[in-house]
Amino acid sequence: MKRVTTILGISIVLVGSFFLIAADHIDAPAVQGTTSDITDFYAFQGADTNTIAFVVNTQGLLSPTATSSASFNENTLIEINIDTTGDNVEDLVIQAIPRDGKMYFFGPIAPSAAGLNSVVETSGTASSVDITAYGSTAITATNSGMTFFAGPRDDPFFMDFAQYGQIIAGNATAFNNPGADTFAGSNVLSIVVQVPKSLIGGSGTINTWVEAKGKQ
């Protein structure tokens, strides 16, 4: 634990502050093919009724060959925002940032400031997990009731882009059943956090979104 604290202390200096780069599934040219390119974000009940799982997928359309050399960018902070009061402003954040083969997590914690700019919230609960290598058994870590994972996964998103193009062009009126999954066989870099609901609080309903922020 002492080693982790030391590493995180250095990280405070190195990461500084961050600004927002917005992204979506392969439609943001400025970040396409990087870990700032968020492909999908999922939030759902975890392994039991007392937990919530957050899944952030980045850098889509990785072929198996490309996946073996893909890595998280150490200058990119992934921030999960959680609004517990219904005003669409983050009341809590969970931050993830890679360093030297590990993914470090901070939070859930009330952010120093809401909005586009962030600092690494090192006063929040600090956790880490070794980043799983492609083709290896998934490595998970736990801390304070939370469970963490980071590494390559098969892209779970299903989209028939060819048929979508036919519909947009007016050549078809609906998708086929079954369709053809454009993303079949491709991978993403995933960050997964399972959190006890007791650490989120609120009325029972939350709004949540994710941002990729670059070091400044």
Side-chain angles (χ1 to χ4, degrees):
M1 188 62 188
K2 181 178 179 180
R3 174 175 168 74
V4 172
T5 302
T6 301
I7 291 172
L8 298 180
I10 294 171
S11 296
I12 297 170
V13 176
L14 295 178
V15 296
S17 60
F18 288 78
F19 76 101
L20 173 68
I21 297 176
D24 197 355
H25 217 132
I26 62 171
D27 65 0
V31 297
Q32 186 173 332
T34 73
T35 49
S36 294
D37 189 1
I38 299 168
T39 64
D40 292 292
F41 176 49
Y42 306 90
F44 50 88
Q45 183 170 288
D48 58 66
T49 58
N50 297 317
T51 59
I52 301 174
F54 299 98
V55 179
V56 184
N57 289 338
T58 68
Q59 200 167 337
L61 295 176
L62 287 169
S63 68
T65 300
T67 306
S68 62
S69 59
S71 61
F72 292 98
N73 187 334
E74 296 192 356
N75 291 322
T76 298
L77 172 75
I78 298 295
E79 186 171 85
I80 298 169
N81 298 279
I82 303 167
D83 162 32
T84 62
T85 58
D87 61 0
N88 298 321
V89 176
E90 63 269 39
D91 300 294
L92 298 169
V93 296
I94 300 172
Q95 299 177 327
I97 187 165
R99 281 288 184 278
D100 299 328
K102 290 180 178 288
M103 185 67 73
Y104 291 92
F105 294 86
F106 301 92
I109 183 174
S112 302
L116 301 182
N117 297 310
S118 295
V119 296
V120 178
E121 302 290 352
T122 54
S123 61
T125 301
S127 311
S128 68
V129 64
D130 289 338
I131 296 172
T132 298
Y134 179 53
S136 301
T137 301
I139 300 170
T140 61
T142 59
N143 185 29
S144 300
M146 296 181 282
T147 304
F148 306 92
F149 168 84
R153 296 286 93 180
D154 181 76
D155 191 341
F157 189 78
F158 185 101
M159 178 66 180
D160 187 341
F161 265 119
Q163 187 65 10
Y164 173 75
Q166 291 297 312
I167 294 171
I168 295 299
N171 299 324
T173 58
F175 285 98
N176 298 318
N177 185 14
D181 183 12
T182 304
F183 297 96
S186 65
N187 300 313
V188 292
L189 294 183
S190 295
I191 297 170
V192 183
V193 188
Q194 181 174 272
V195 183
K197 291 179 180 176
S198 59
L199 296 182
I200 302 299
S203 63
T205 300
I206 64 169
N207 299 312
T208 182
W209 63 99
V210 67
E211 298 168 320
K213 299 185 175 183
K215 177 185 174 185
Q216 288 294 287

